[in-house]
């Protein structure tokens, strides 16, 4: 099934507990997002580590998720998958920038659309 215009991705294209990278147009401009699947729900953050301003994926669109944390491939900062807060590494206490999303009929959308 093709994506409807404006959709970020299909939930069933993300294995539960993993994440993908998608491009999105936000009010402040185009951004690459991390979309993480949690059962029938999804969470999203801008794909930028607060430590050094680099992407978190270790290969394009591929993320290391271990024991409930998303690990930055550059310096190893660990972010809780529940809220994006850094719990280990060089930016402990900082957070990924959340982007509100919603899931409707298996499709992930920006929440403000």
């Amino acid at each position: 099934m093709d994506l409807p215009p404006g959709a970020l991705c299909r939930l069933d294209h993300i294995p539960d507990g993993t994440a993908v990278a998608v491009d999105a147009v936000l009010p402040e401009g185009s951004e690459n997002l991390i979309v993480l699947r949690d059962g029938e729900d999804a969470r999203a953050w801008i794909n930028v580590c607060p430590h050094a301003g680099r992407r978190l994926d270790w290969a394009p669109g591929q993320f290391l998720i271990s024991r409930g944390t998303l690990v930055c491939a550059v310096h190893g900062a660990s972010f809780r998958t529940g809220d994006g807060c850094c719990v280990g590494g060089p930016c402990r206490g900082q957070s990924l920038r959340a982007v509100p999303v919603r899931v409707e009929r298996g499709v992930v959308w920006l929440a403000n659309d």
Side-chain angles (χ1 to χ4, degrees), residues 23-113:
D23 291 323
V25 178
L26 304 179
E28 57 275 11
S30 296
E31 294 286 354
N32 186 259
L33 305 181
I34 302 163
V35 178
L36 178 115
R37 180 177 179 178
D38 184 11
E40 295 304 307
D41 232 350
R43 286 191 258 315
W45 300 276
I46 292 181
N47 188 8
V48 173
C49 180
H51 168 239
R54 307 229 359 230
R55 290 173 59 122
L56 280 83
D57 35 0
W58 59 270
Q62 297 186 17
F63 299 92
L64 175 59
I65 298 175
S66 176
R67 298 181 184 152
T69 61
L70 172 63
V71 180
C72 177
V74 179
H75 296 107
S78 299
F79 301 89
R80 285 190 303 241
T81 57
D83 62 6
C85 182
C86 183
V87 294
C91 53
R92 184 184 295 264
Q94 295 182 28
S95 292
L96 297 174
R97 187 167 150 225
V99 176
V101 294
R102 69 182 192 281
V103 178
E104 289 182 9
R105 297 183 181 171
V107 176
V108 182
W109 302 83
L110 292 173
N112 57 359
D113 279 357

